Short mmCIF file of all heavy atoms in Angstrom, two decimals:
data_model
loop_
_atom_site.label_atom_id
_atom_site.label_comp_id
_atom_site.label_asym_id
_atom_site.label_seq_id
_atom_site.Cartn_x
_atom_site.Cartn_y
_atom_site.Cartn_z
N ILE A 215 -93.95 -43.59 -49.87
CA ILE A 215 -94.02 -42.29 -49.16
C ILE A 215 -95.32 -41.46 -49.49
O ILE A 215 -95.32 -40.40 -50.07
CB ILE A 215 -92.75 -41.37 -49.59
CG1 ILE A 215 -92.61 -41.44 -51.06
CG2 ILE A 215 -91.52 -41.70 -48.82
CD1 ILE A 215 -92.19 -40.13 -51.63
N PRO A 216 -96.52 -42.05 -49.13
CA PRO A 216 -97.80 -41.45 -49.57
C PRO A 216 -97.80 -40.08 -49.32
O PRO A 216 -98.41 -39.19 -50.01
CB PRO A 216 -98.91 -42.35 -49.04
CG PRO A 216 -98.24 -43.26 -48.05
CD PRO A 216 -96.69 -43.32 -48.42
N PHE A 217 -97.38 -39.65 -48.09
CA PHE A 217 -97.61 -38.22 -47.62
C PHE A 217 -96.66 -37.23 -48.29
O PHE A 217 -96.96 -36.18 -48.56
CB PHE A 217 -97.77 -38.27 -46.07
CG PHE A 217 -98.90 -38.95 -45.54
CD1 PHE A 217 -98.82 -40.27 -45.27
CD2 PHE A 217 -100.05 -38.31 -45.38
CE1 PHE A 217 -99.94 -41.01 -44.84
CE2 PHE A 217 -101.15 -38.94 -45.02
CZ PHE A 217 -101.12 -40.33 -44.68
N LEU A 218 -95.37 -37.72 -48.40
CA LEU A 218 -94.47 -36.84 -49.17
C LEU A 218 -94.88 -36.74 -50.54
O LEU A 218 -94.63 -35.61 -51.20
CB LEU A 218 -93.01 -37.45 -49.04
CG LEU A 218 -92.51 -37.54 -47.48
CD1 LEU A 218 -90.95 -37.92 -47.57
CD2 LEU A 218 -92.72 -36.36 -46.82
N ALA A 219 -95.41 -37.84 -51.12
CA ALA A 219 -95.95 -37.82 -52.51
C ALA A 219 -97.11 -36.78 -52.62
O ALA A 219 -97.20 -35.95 -53.55
CB ALA A 219 -96.27 -39.11 -52.96
N GLN A 220 -97.93 -36.76 -51.65
CA GLN A 220 -99.09 -35.81 -51.58
C GLN A 220 -98.52 -34.45 -51.61
O GLN A 220 -99.05 -33.54 -52.42
CB GLN A 220 -99.95 -35.98 -50.34
CG GLN A 220 -101.09 -35.03 -50.30
CD GLN A 220 -101.79 -35.09 -48.97
OE1 GLN A 220 -101.25 -35.49 -47.96
NE2 GLN A 220 -103.02 -34.67 -48.86
N ARG A 221 -97.48 -34.13 -50.84
CA ARG A 221 -96.92 -32.81 -50.79
C ARG A 221 -96.34 -32.49 -52.21
O ARG A 221 -96.52 -31.40 -52.76
CB ARG A 221 -95.74 -32.82 -49.78
CG ARG A 221 -95.11 -31.51 -49.72
CD ARG A 221 -93.66 -31.62 -49.11
NE ARG A 221 -92.87 -32.47 -49.95
CZ ARG A 221 -91.62 -33.02 -49.57
NH1 ARG A 221 -91.14 -32.58 -48.55
NH2 ARG A 221 -91.03 -33.85 -50.41
N ASP A 222 -95.60 -33.42 -52.79
CA ASP A 222 -94.93 -33.18 -54.13
C ASP A 222 -96.09 -32.97 -55.14
O ASP A 222 -95.91 -31.99 -56.05
CB ASP A 222 -94.09 -34.42 -54.56
CG ASP A 222 -92.88 -34.57 -53.74
OD1 ASP A 222 -92.58 -33.57 -52.92
OD2 ASP A 222 -92.08 -35.46 -53.99
N PHE A 223 -97.15 -33.77 -55.17
CA PHE A 223 -98.17 -33.52 -56.21
C PHE A 223 -98.96 -32.31 -55.85
O PHE A 223 -99.46 -31.70 -56.91
CB PHE A 223 -99.04 -34.80 -56.16
CG PHE A 223 -98.25 -36.13 -56.54
CD1 PHE A 223 -98.69 -37.36 -56.14
CD2 PHE A 223 -97.14 -36.11 -57.39
CE1 PHE A 223 -98.03 -38.61 -56.53
CE2 PHE A 223 -96.49 -37.26 -57.66
CZ PHE A 223 -96.87 -38.48 -57.38
N ASN A 224 -99.17 -31.98 -54.69
CA ASN A 224 -99.79 -30.68 -54.43
C ASN A 224 -99.08 -29.49 -55.00
O ASN A 224 -99.50 -28.57 -55.57
CB ASN A 224 -100.16 -30.49 -52.92
CG ASN A 224 -101.36 -31.28 -52.48
OD1 ASN A 224 -102.11 -31.91 -53.32
ND2 ASN A 224 -101.65 -31.28 -51.17
N ARG A 225 -97.76 -29.59 -54.90
CA ARG A 225 -96.92 -28.48 -55.38
C ARG A 225 -97.01 -28.60 -56.99
O ARG A 225 -97.06 -27.44 -57.49
CB ARG A 225 -95.39 -28.80 -55.03
CG ARG A 225 -94.54 -27.77 -55.35
CD ARG A 225 -93.40 -27.48 -54.40
NE ARG A 225 -92.68 -28.79 -54.13
CZ ARG A 225 -91.64 -28.88 -53.36
NH1 ARG A 225 -91.16 -27.77 -52.71
NH2 ARG A 225 -90.97 -29.99 -53.18
N ALA A 226 -97.14 -29.74 -57.55
CA ALA A 226 -97.31 -29.72 -58.98
C ALA A 226 -98.62 -29.14 -59.42
O ALA A 226 -98.72 -28.44 -60.34
CB ALA A 226 -97.32 -31.23 -59.41
N LEU A 227 -99.68 -29.30 -58.58
CA LEU A 227 -100.99 -28.78 -58.90
C LEU A 227 -100.84 -27.21 -58.89
O LEU A 227 -101.44 -26.56 -59.68
CB LEU A 227 -102.02 -29.19 -57.86
CG LEU A 227 -102.43 -30.70 -57.95
CD1 LEU A 227 -103.51 -31.09 -56.89
CD2 LEU A 227 -102.99 -31.14 -59.29
N GLU A 228 -100.08 -26.81 -57.88
CA GLU A 228 -99.92 -25.34 -57.86
C GLU A 228 -99.22 -24.83 -59.11
O GLU A 228 -99.62 -23.85 -59.72
CB GLU A 228 -98.96 -24.94 -56.64
CG GLU A 228 -99.74 -24.30 -55.58
CD GLU A 228 -98.80 -24.12 -54.35
OE1 GLU A 228 -97.69 -23.46 -54.50
OE2 GLU A 228 -99.20 -24.76 -53.23
N GLU A 229 -98.18 -25.53 -59.54
CA GLU A 229 -97.50 -25.15 -60.75
C GLU A 229 -98.40 -25.22 -61.90
O GLU A 229 -98.15 -24.58 -62.99
CB GLU A 229 -96.15 -26.12 -60.98
CG GLU A 229 -95.14 -25.81 -59.94
CD GLU A 229 -93.97 -26.80 -59.96
OE1 GLU A 229 -94.29 -28.05 -60.21
OE2 GLU A 229 -92.86 -26.49 -59.62
N MET A 230 -99.47 -26.14 -61.84
CA MET A 230 -100.41 -26.13 -62.90
C MET A 230 -101.57 -25.09 -62.84
O MET A 230 -102.35 -25.10 -63.60
CB MET A 230 -100.99 -27.58 -62.98
CG MET A 230 -100.06 -28.63 -63.31
SD MET A 230 -100.68 -30.30 -62.95
CE MET A 230 -101.96 -30.57 -64.13
N GLY A 231 -101.41 -24.26 -61.78
CA GLY A 231 -102.34 -23.18 -61.69
C GLY A 231 -103.66 -23.69 -61.01
O GLY A 231 -104.70 -23.04 -61.00
N LEU A 232 -103.54 -24.75 -60.31
CA LEU A 232 -104.60 -25.32 -59.57
C LEU A 232 -104.42 -25.13 -58.01
O LEU A 232 -104.42 -26.10 -57.22
CB LEU A 232 -104.82 -26.85 -59.75
CG LEU A 232 -105.10 -27.15 -61.27
CD1 LEU A 232 -104.91 -28.77 -61.53
CD2 LEU A 232 -106.51 -26.70 -61.66
N GLU A 233 -104.08 -23.95 -57.57
CA GLU A 233 -103.85 -23.54 -56.30
C GLU A 233 -105.10 -24.03 -55.36
O GLU A 233 -106.21 -23.82 -55.78
CB GLU A 233 -103.68 -22.05 -55.96
CG GLU A 233 -102.26 -21.61 -56.43
CD GLU A 233 -102.42 -21.09 -57.83
OE1 GLU A 233 -103.46 -21.14 -58.46
OE2 GLU A 233 -101.24 -20.61 -58.39
N GLY A 234 -104.79 -24.54 -54.12
CA GLY A 234 -105.76 -24.92 -53.26
C GLY A 234 -106.39 -26.28 -53.45
O GLY A 234 -107.18 -26.77 -52.67
N ARG A 235 -106.05 -26.92 -54.59
CA ARG A 235 -106.51 -28.24 -54.89
C ARG A 235 -105.68 -29.28 -54.11
O ARG A 235 -104.46 -28.92 -53.80
CB ARG A 235 -106.50 -28.51 -56.41
CG ARG A 235 -107.38 -27.60 -57.20
CD ARG A 235 -108.79 -27.86 -57.04
NE ARG A 235 -109.58 -26.63 -56.91
CZ ARG A 235 -110.58 -26.38 -56.04
NH1 ARG A 235 -110.97 -27.28 -55.23
NH2 ARG A 235 -111.12 -25.24 -55.95
N ASN A 236 -106.23 -30.39 -53.98
CA ASN A 236 -105.54 -31.40 -53.12
C ASN A 236 -105.38 -32.65 -53.85
O ASN A 236 -106.17 -33.11 -54.73
CB ASN A 236 -106.43 -31.59 -51.95
CG ASN A 236 -105.72 -32.67 -50.90
OD1 ASN A 236 -104.54 -32.40 -50.61
ND2 ASN A 236 -106.43 -33.68 -50.52
N THR A 237 -104.32 -33.43 -53.38
CA THR A 237 -104.17 -34.75 -53.98
C THR A 237 -104.44 -35.74 -52.92
O THR A 237 -104.00 -35.57 -51.68
CB THR A 237 -102.59 -34.94 -54.41
OG1 THR A 237 -102.27 -33.87 -55.23
CG2 THR A 237 -102.40 -36.27 -55.10
N ARG A 238 -105.13 -36.85 -53.28
CA ARG A 238 -105.33 -38.03 -52.47
C ARG A 238 -104.43 -39.07 -53.01
O ARG A 238 -104.68 -39.45 -54.15
CB ARG A 238 -106.80 -38.45 -52.43
CG ARG A 238 -107.02 -39.63 -51.78
CD ARG A 238 -108.53 -40.04 -51.84
NE ARG A 238 -108.86 -41.20 -51.10
CZ ARG A 238 -110.07 -41.71 -51.02
NH1 ARG A 238 -111.06 -41.16 -51.76
NH2 ARG A 238 -110.21 -42.87 -50.34
N VAL A 239 -103.57 -39.69 -52.22
CA VAL A 239 -102.72 -40.77 -52.66
C VAL A 239 -103.20 -42.06 -52.17
O VAL A 239 -103.34 -42.22 -50.93
CB VAL A 239 -101.22 -40.50 -52.32
CG1 VAL A 239 -100.36 -41.65 -52.75
CG2 VAL A 239 -100.68 -39.26 -52.97
N ILE A 240 -103.57 -42.90 -52.97
CA ILE A 240 -104.01 -44.31 -52.58
C ILE A 240 -102.93 -45.34 -52.95
O ILE A 240 -102.44 -45.32 -54.02
CB ILE A 240 -105.35 -44.70 -53.23
CG1 ILE A 240 -106.51 -43.70 -52.87
CG2 ILE A 240 -105.74 -46.13 -52.87
CD1 ILE A 240 -107.82 -43.86 -53.61
N VAL A 241 -102.57 -46.00 -51.96
CA VAL A 241 -101.45 -47.00 -52.23
C VAL A 241 -102.12 -48.34 -52.66
O VAL A 241 -102.78 -49.05 -51.77
CB VAL A 241 -100.61 -47.17 -50.99
CG1 VAL A 241 -99.34 -48.09 -51.26
CG2 VAL A 241 -100.03 -45.81 -50.52
N THR A 242 -101.74 -48.82 -53.81
CA THR A 242 -102.23 -50.19 -54.14
C THR A 242 -101.33 -51.15 -53.53
O THR A 242 -100.30 -50.83 -53.01
CB THR A 242 -102.17 -50.24 -55.77
OG1 THR A 242 -100.78 -50.11 -56.09
CG2 THR A 242 -103.07 -49.34 -56.38
N THR A 243 -101.64 -52.47 -53.72
CA THR A 243 -100.80 -53.51 -53.32
C THR A 243 -99.53 -53.29 -54.02
O THR A 243 -99.46 -53.16 -55.32
CB THR A 243 -101.34 -54.91 -53.64
OG1 THR A 243 -102.69 -54.94 -53.10
CG2 THR A 243 -100.44 -55.98 -53.15
N LEU A 244 -98.28 -53.31 -53.34
CA LEU A 244 -97.02 -53.08 -54.12
C LEU A 244 -96.42 -54.36 -54.53
O LEU A 244 -96.28 -55.26 -53.73
CB LEU A 244 -96.13 -52.40 -53.04
CG LEU A 244 -95.85 -50.91 -53.27
CD1 LEU A 244 -97.25 -50.14 -52.92
CD2 LEU A 244 -94.83 -50.32 -52.36
N GLY A 245 -96.03 -54.44 -55.73
CA GLY A 245 -95.30 -55.66 -56.26
C GLY A 245 -93.75 -55.41 -55.87
O GLY A 245 -92.87 -55.68 -56.81
N GLY A 246 -93.53 -55.19 -54.65
CA GLY A 246 -92.15 -54.85 -54.26
C GLY A 246 -91.82 -53.45 -54.07
O GLY A 246 -92.55 -52.59 -54.76
N GLY A 247 -90.95 -53.04 -53.12
CA GLY A 247 -90.60 -51.60 -52.97
C GLY A 247 -89.12 -51.52 -53.10
O GLY A 247 -88.59 -50.86 -54.04
N PHE A 248 -88.42 -51.91 -52.01
CA PHE A 248 -86.96 -51.87 -51.97
C PHE A 248 -86.34 -50.47 -52.24
O PHE A 248 -85.24 -50.42 -52.64
CB PHE A 248 -86.38 -52.84 -53.05
CG PHE A 248 -87.02 -54.23 -53.01
CD1 PHE A 248 -87.57 -54.73 -54.15
CD2 PHE A 248 -86.98 -54.94 -51.77
CE1 PHE A 248 -88.14 -55.98 -54.05
CE2 PHE A 248 -87.73 -56.26 -51.75
CZ PHE A 248 -88.26 -56.73 -52.96
N GLY A 249 -87.12 -49.50 -51.96
CA GLY A 249 -86.59 -48.06 -52.18
C GLY A 249 -87.05 -47.37 -53.46
O GLY A 249 -86.96 -46.19 -53.52
N THR A 250 -87.65 -48.10 -54.37
CA THR A 250 -88.15 -47.53 -55.57
C THR A 250 -89.17 -46.50 -55.35
O THR A 250 -89.42 -45.61 -56.14
CB THR A 250 -88.69 -48.61 -56.64
OG1 THR A 250 -89.68 -49.36 -55.96
CG2 THR A 250 -87.68 -49.43 -57.08
N GLY A 251 -89.90 -46.70 -54.17
CA GLY A 251 -91.10 -45.83 -54.02
C GLY A 251 -90.71 -44.69 -53.01
O GLY A 251 -91.55 -44.03 -52.50
N LEU A 252 -89.49 -44.33 -52.88
CA LEU A 252 -89.07 -43.28 -51.94
C LEU A 252 -89.10 -41.93 -52.51
O LEU A 252 -89.06 -40.94 -51.82
CB LEU A 252 -87.79 -43.62 -51.31
CG LEU A 252 -87.79 -44.74 -50.26
CD1 LEU A 252 -86.44 -44.93 -49.54
CD2 LEU A 252 -88.94 -44.55 -49.19
N ASP A 253 -89.16 -41.85 -53.81
CA ASP A 253 -89.12 -40.50 -54.52
C ASP A 253 -90.43 -40.42 -55.38
O ASP A 253 -90.92 -41.54 -55.62
CB ASP A 253 -87.89 -40.31 -55.28
CG ASP A 253 -87.53 -38.95 -55.43
OD1 ASP A 253 -88.35 -38.02 -55.05
OD2 ASP A 253 -86.37 -38.58 -55.85
N THR A 254 -90.81 -39.30 -55.68
CA THR A 254 -91.84 -39.12 -56.74
C THR A 254 -91.09 -39.15 -58.08
O THR A 254 -89.94 -38.58 -58.22
CB THR A 254 -92.75 -37.98 -56.62
OG1 THR A 254 -91.94 -36.88 -56.31
CG2 THR A 254 -93.68 -38.17 -55.45
N HIS A 255 -91.68 -39.59 -59.21
CA HIS A 255 -91.01 -39.81 -60.44
C HIS A 255 -91.73 -39.09 -61.58
O HIS A 255 -92.85 -38.70 -61.57
CB HIS A 255 -91.07 -41.34 -60.73
CG HIS A 255 -90.48 -42.28 -59.71
ND1 HIS A 255 -89.14 -42.52 -59.61
CD2 HIS A 255 -91.11 -42.89 -58.70
CE1 HIS A 255 -88.91 -43.32 -58.58
NE2 HIS A 255 -90.12 -43.44 -58.05
N CYS A 256 -90.85 -38.81 -62.52
CA CYS A 256 -91.35 -38.04 -63.73
C CYS A 256 -92.57 -38.67 -64.29
O CYS A 256 -93.53 -38.02 -64.67
CB CYS A 256 -90.18 -37.92 -64.80
SG CYS A 256 -88.94 -36.82 -64.30
N TYR A 257 -92.65 -40.09 -64.45
CA TYR A 257 -93.72 -40.74 -64.96
C TYR A 257 -95.10 -40.35 -64.21
O TYR A 257 -96.10 -40.28 -64.75
CB TYR A 257 -93.52 -42.27 -65.13
CG TYR A 257 -93.68 -43.08 -63.84
CD1 TYR A 257 -95.07 -43.38 -63.43
CD2 TYR A 257 -92.65 -43.40 -63.07
CE1 TYR A 257 -95.14 -44.13 -62.27
CE2 TYR A 257 -92.80 -44.15 -61.97
CZ TYR A 257 -94.02 -44.55 -61.48
OH TYR A 257 -94.19 -45.15 -60.37
N GLU A 258 -94.98 -40.23 -62.89
CA GLU A 258 -96.20 -39.76 -62.16
C GLU A 258 -96.71 -38.45 -62.47
O GLU A 258 -97.88 -38.12 -62.66
CB GLU A 258 -95.80 -39.91 -60.62
CG GLU A 258 -95.57 -41.38 -60.29
CD GLU A 258 -94.98 -41.49 -58.81
OE1 GLU A 258 -94.07 -40.83 -58.44
OE2 GLU A 258 -95.51 -42.36 -58.16
N TYR A 259 -95.81 -37.44 -62.62
CA TYR A 259 -96.11 -36.13 -63.01
C TYR A 259 -96.74 -36.13 -64.37
O TYR A 259 -97.66 -35.30 -64.72
CB TYR A 259 -94.97 -35.13 -62.90
CG TYR A 259 -94.49 -35.04 -61.49
CD1 TYR A 259 -93.41 -35.85 -60.96
CD2 TYR A 259 -94.98 -34.08 -60.57
CE1 TYR A 259 -92.95 -35.69 -59.68
CE2 TYR A 259 -94.54 -34.02 -59.26
CZ TYR A 259 -93.52 -34.80 -58.85
OH TYR A 259 -93.07 -34.72 -57.49
N ILE A 260 -96.15 -36.91 -65.26
CA ILE A 260 -96.68 -36.97 -66.62
C ILE A 260 -98.11 -37.55 -66.63
O ILE A 260 -98.96 -37.06 -67.39
CB ILE A 260 -95.68 -37.83 -67.61
CG1 ILE A 260 -94.37 -36.94 -67.72
CG2 ILE A 260 -96.35 -38.12 -68.90
CD1 ILE A 260 -93.34 -37.69 -68.40
N ALA A 261 -98.28 -38.59 -65.87
CA ALA A 261 -99.70 -39.12 -65.72
C ALA A 261 -100.68 -38.04 -65.36
O ALA A 261 -101.80 -37.92 -65.81
CB ALA A 261 -99.70 -40.29 -64.84
N ILE A 262 -100.16 -37.13 -64.38
CA ILE A 262 -101.02 -36.08 -63.83
C ILE A 262 -101.32 -35.09 -64.91
O ILE A 262 -102.40 -34.65 -65.22
CB ILE A 262 -100.41 -35.39 -62.68
CG1 ILE A 262 -100.31 -36.34 -61.48
CG2 ILE A 262 -101.03 -34.08 -62.31
CD1 ILE A 262 -99.38 -35.86 -60.30
N LEU A 263 -100.29 -34.72 -65.72
CA LEU A 263 -100.43 -33.76 -66.83
C LEU A 263 -101.43 -34.46 -67.95
O LEU A 263 -102.28 -33.65 -68.34
CB LEU A 263 -99.12 -33.47 -67.48
CG LEU A 263 -98.18 -32.57 -66.67
CD1 LEU A 263 -96.85 -32.53 -67.33
CD2 LEU A 263 -98.72 -31.18 -66.51
N LEU A 264 -101.29 -35.72 -68.17
CA LEU A 264 -102.17 -36.28 -69.29
C LEU A 264 -103.61 -36.39 -68.71
O LEU A 264 -104.47 -36.13 -69.48
CB LEU A 264 -101.71 -37.71 -69.61
CG LEU A 264 -100.42 -37.73 -70.41
CD1 LEU A 264 -99.78 -39.24 -70.58
CD2 LEU A 264 -100.63 -37.29 -71.84
N ALA A 265 -103.74 -36.65 -67.47
CA ALA A 265 -105.16 -36.75 -66.86
C ALA A 265 -105.72 -35.40 -66.85
O ALA A 265 -106.96 -35.29 -67.14
CB ALA A 265 -105.04 -37.26 -65.38
N HIS A 266 -104.98 -34.36 -66.58
CA HIS A 266 -105.60 -32.96 -66.60
C HIS A 266 -105.89 -32.52 -68.05
O HIS A 266 -107.00 -31.92 -68.25
CB HIS A 266 -104.52 -32.00 -66.00
CG HIS A 266 -105.11 -30.67 -65.73
ND1 HIS A 266 -104.69 -29.62 -66.41
CD2 HIS A 266 -106.09 -30.28 -64.93
CE1 HIS A 266 -105.47 -28.58 -65.87
NE2 HIS A 266 -106.29 -28.95 -65.00
N ARG A 267 -105.03 -32.96 -69.05
CA ARG A 267 -105.23 -32.44 -70.39
C ARG A 267 -106.53 -33.24 -71.02
O ARG A 267 -107.45 -32.60 -71.65
CB ARG A 267 -104.07 -32.80 -71.22
CG ARG A 267 -104.16 -32.60 -72.74
CD ARG A 267 -104.38 -31.18 -73.16
NE ARG A 267 -103.32 -30.37 -72.75
CZ ARG A 267 -102.19 -30.17 -73.58
NH1 ARG A 267 -102.06 -30.85 -74.75
NH2 ARG A 267 -101.27 -29.34 -73.18
N THR A 268 -106.62 -34.54 -70.67
CA THR A 268 -107.69 -35.25 -71.28
C THR A 268 -108.96 -35.24 -70.40
O THR A 268 -110.09 -35.56 -70.94
CB THR A 268 -107.44 -36.72 -71.40
OG1 THR A 268 -107.11 -37.25 -70.13
CG2 THR A 268 -106.16 -36.88 -72.34
N GLY A 269 -108.95 -34.88 -69.19
CA GLY A 269 -110.10 -35.02 -68.27
C GLY A 269 -110.49 -36.35 -67.92
O GLY A 269 -111.59 -36.63 -67.57
N ARG A 270 -109.68 -37.36 -68.18
CA ARG A 270 -109.93 -38.78 -67.85
C ARG A 270 -108.84 -39.39 -67.08
O ARG A 270 -107.74 -38.94 -67.04
CB ARG A 270 -110.02 -39.50 -69.23
CG ARG A 270 -111.43 -39.06 -69.99
CD ARG A 270 -111.39 -39.44 -71.36
NE ARG A 270 -111.52 -40.86 -71.52
CZ ARG A 270 -111.52 -41.57 -72.70
NH1 ARG A 270 -111.72 -40.81 -73.83
NH2 ARG A 270 -111.58 -42.88 -72.84
N PRO A 271 -109.12 -40.50 -66.45
CA PRO A 271 -108.09 -41.26 -65.61
C PRO A 271 -107.07 -41.65 -66.63
O PRO A 271 -107.36 -42.18 -67.71
CB PRO A 271 -108.78 -42.39 -65.03
CG PRO A 271 -110.33 -42.14 -65.21
CD PRO A 271 -110.33 -41.18 -66.25
N VAL A 272 -105.75 -41.53 -66.19
CA VAL A 272 -104.67 -42.06 -67.12
C VAL A 272 -103.76 -42.96 -66.35
O VAL A 272 -103.28 -42.63 -65.19
CB VAL A 272 -103.92 -40.91 -67.67
CG1 VAL A 272 -102.62 -41.40 -68.48
CG2 VAL A 272 -104.75 -40.04 -68.58
N LYS A 273 -103.56 -44.12 -66.94
CA LYS A 273 -102.55 -45.10 -66.25
C LYS A 273 -101.24 -44.95 -67.05
O LYS A 273 -101.16 -45.12 -68.24
CB LYS A 273 -103.02 -46.47 -66.24
CG LYS A 273 -102.10 -47.50 -65.61
CD LYS A 273 -102.53 -48.97 -65.88
CE LYS A 273 -103.46 -49.40 -64.72
NZ LYS A 273 -103.63 -50.90 -64.72
N VAL A 274 -100.14 -44.88 -66.31
CA VAL A 274 -98.76 -45.09 -66.93
C VAL A 274 -98.20 -46.23 -66.26
O VAL A 274 -98.13 -46.28 -65.01
CB VAL A 274 -97.93 -43.81 -66.75
CG1 VAL A 274 -96.50 -44.15 -67.27
CG2 VAL A 274 -98.47 -42.71 -67.46
N LEU A 275 -97.85 -47.34 -67.02
CA LEU A 275 -97.33 -48.50 -66.43
C LEU A 275 -96.12 -48.86 -67.22
O LEU A 275 -96.08 -48.93 -68.44
CB LEU A 275 -98.29 -49.58 -66.58
CG LEU A 275 -97.98 -50.96 -66.02
CD1 LEU A 275 -97.76 -50.85 -64.44
CD2 LEU A 275 -99.02 -51.97 -66.29
N MET A 276 -94.95 -49.02 -66.48
CA MET A 276 -93.68 -49.48 -67.19
C MET A 276 -93.70 -50.88 -67.52
O MET A 276 -94.23 -51.67 -66.68
CB MET A 276 -92.48 -49.17 -66.33
CG MET A 276 -92.23 -47.57 -66.18
SD MET A 276 -90.66 -47.41 -65.49
CE MET A 276 -90.75 -45.50 -65.20
N ASP A 277 -93.17 -51.32 -68.67
CA ASP A 277 -92.90 -52.74 -68.82
C ASP A 277 -91.51 -52.98 -68.25
O ASP A 277 -90.82 -52.07 -67.85
CB ASP A 277 -93.18 -53.21 -70.28
CG ASP A 277 -92.27 -52.56 -71.24
OD1 ASP A 277 -91.15 -52.10 -70.87
OD2 ASP A 277 -92.56 -52.56 -72.51
N ARG A 278 -91.07 -54.38 -68.36
CA ARG A 278 -89.73 -54.59 -67.70
C ARG A 278 -88.63 -53.82 -68.40
O ARG A 278 -87.74 -53.33 -67.70
CB ARG A 278 -89.51 -56.04 -67.82
CG ARG A 278 -88.27 -56.52 -67.16
CD ARG A 278 -88.17 -56.20 -65.70
NE ARG A 278 -89.18 -56.72 -64.89
CZ ARG A 278 -89.38 -56.40 -63.63
NH1 ARG A 278 -88.61 -55.54 -63.01
NH2 ARG A 278 -90.46 -56.90 -62.98
N GLU A 279 -88.61 -53.72 -69.66
CA GLU A 279 -87.49 -53.03 -70.41
C GLU A 279 -87.41 -51.54 -69.97
O GLU A 279 -86.45 -50.97 -69.69
CB GLU A 279 -87.53 -53.30 -71.84
CG GLU A 279 -86.43 -52.61 -72.58
CD GLU A 279 -86.26 -52.74 -74.02
OE1 GLU A 279 -86.92 -53.81 -74.58
OE2 GLU A 279 -85.68 -51.91 -74.67
N GLU A 280 -88.72 -51.02 -69.93
CA GLU A 280 -88.72 -49.56 -69.62
C GLU A 280 -88.26 -49.41 -68.20
O GLU A 280 -87.62 -48.43 -67.88
CB GLU A 280 -90.20 -49.01 -69.70
CG GLU A 280 -90.55 -48.96 -71.23
CD GLU A 280 -92.17 -48.67 -71.36
OE1 GLU A 280 -92.89 -49.08 -70.45
OE2 GLU A 280 -92.49 -47.93 -72.29
N GLU A 281 -88.61 -50.20 -67.33
CA GLU A 281 -88.16 -50.04 -65.88
C GLU A 281 -86.66 -50.11 -65.85
O GLU A 281 -86.09 -49.43 -65.11
CB GLU A 281 -88.81 -51.13 -65.06
CG GLU A 281 -88.45 -51.09 -63.63
CD GLU A 281 -89.37 -51.47 -62.48
OE1 GLU A 281 -90.54 -51.11 -62.76
OE2 GLU A 281 -88.99 -52.07 -61.56
N PHE A 282 -86.05 -51.14 -66.47
CA PHE A 282 -84.59 -51.12 -66.63
C PHE A 282 -84.00 -49.85 -67.08
O PHE A 282 -82.99 -49.46 -66.69
CB PHE A 282 -84.16 -52.33 -67.34
CG PHE A 282 -83.88 -53.62 -66.60
CD1 PHE A 282 -84.75 -54.69 -66.73
CD2 PHE A 282 -82.72 -53.72 -65.77
CE1 PHE A 282 -84.48 -55.81 -65.99
CE2 PHE A 282 -82.59 -54.82 -64.91
CZ PHE A 282 -83.43 -55.89 -65.08
N ARG A 283 -84.59 -49.35 -68.14
CA ARG A 283 -84.02 -48.13 -68.77
C ARG A 283 -84.29 -46.87 -68.12
O ARG A 283 -83.51 -45.99 -68.10
CB ARG A 283 -84.53 -48.12 -70.27
CG ARG A 283 -83.99 -49.12 -71.21
CD ARG A 283 -84.34 -48.86 -72.62
NE ARG A 283 -84.02 -49.90 -73.55
CZ ARG A 283 -82.83 -50.15 -73.97
NH1 ARG A 283 -81.77 -49.41 -73.54
NH2 ARG A 283 -82.61 -51.20 -74.72
N TYR A 284 -85.53 -46.69 -67.53
CA TYR A 284 -86.05 -45.41 -67.14
C TYR A 284 -86.30 -45.30 -65.69
O TYR A 284 -86.66 -44.17 -65.30
CB TYR A 284 -87.25 -45.07 -67.91
CG TYR A 284 -87.02 -45.21 -69.48
CD1 TYR A 284 -87.97 -45.91 -70.24
CD2 TYR A 284 -85.99 -44.76 -70.17
CE1 TYR A 284 -87.87 -46.12 -71.63
CE2 TYR A 284 -85.74 -44.86 -71.46
CZ TYR A 284 -86.70 -45.62 -72.22
OH TYR A 284 -86.52 -45.79 -73.57
N LEU A 285 -86.18 -46.28 -64.91
CA LEU A 285 -86.39 -46.14 -63.46
C LEU A 285 -85.05 -46.12 -62.81
O LEU A 285 -84.11 -46.91 -63.09
CB LEU A 285 -87.23 -47.33 -62.92
CG LEU A 285 -87.82 -47.07 -61.58
CD1 LEU A 285 -89.03 -46.05 -61.58
CD2 LEU A 285 -88.44 -48.36 -60.92
N SER A 286 -84.95 -45.17 -61.80
CA SER A 286 -83.63 -45.06 -61.21
C SER A 286 -83.15 -46.33 -60.43
O SER A 286 -83.84 -46.86 -59.68
CB SER A 286 -83.70 -43.86 -60.29
OG SER A 286 -84.15 -42.66 -60.92
N PRO A 287 -81.92 -46.65 -60.79
CA PRO A 287 -81.32 -47.93 -60.11
C PRO A 287 -80.76 -47.50 -58.64
O PRO A 287 -80.94 -46.21 -58.31
CB PRO A 287 -80.25 -48.28 -60.98
CG PRO A 287 -79.85 -47.07 -61.65
CD PRO A 287 -80.97 -46.15 -61.73
N ARG A 288 -80.16 -48.44 -58.12
CA ARG A 288 -79.36 -48.15 -56.83
C ARG A 288 -78.18 -47.32 -57.14
O ARG A 288 -77.41 -47.57 -58.27
CB ARG A 288 -78.87 -49.48 -56.17
CG ARG A 288 -77.84 -49.39 -55.11
CD ARG A 288 -77.59 -50.69 -54.44
NE ARG A 288 -77.43 -50.39 -53.10
CZ ARG A 288 -78.06 -50.90 -52.01
NH1 ARG A 288 -78.91 -51.92 -52.25
NH2 ARG A 288 -77.78 -50.39 -50.85
#
Side-chain angles (χ1 to χ4, degrees):
Chain A
I215 45 146
F217 293 88
L218 301 187
Q220 179 190 22
R221 177 205 59 187
D222 286 358
F223 297 152
N224 277 357
R225 187 148 53 179
L227 292 180
E228 253 173 58
E229 289 168 330
M230 292 165 70
L232 299 168
E233 283 92 2
R235 298 290 136 219
N236 182 49
T237 309
R238 173 182 183 185
V239 177
I240 297 175
V241 184
T242 60
T243 305
L244 258 66
F248 313 123
T250 54
L252 287 186
D253 211 345
T254 48
H255 304 275
C256 289
Y257 77 82
E258 294 169 314
Y259 295 92
I260 289 170
I262 292 169
L263 289 170
L264 287 171
H266 192 246
R267 172 67 61 87
T268 60
R270 289 168 64 177
V272 175
K273 179 190 274 193
V274 173
L275 181 66
M276 290 193 186
D277 66 23
R278 182 58 59 187
E279 180 175 342
E280 288 172 327
E281 178 148 322
F282 266 111
R283 290 190 188 282
Y284 309 130
L285 196 72
S286 304
R288 167 176 218 124

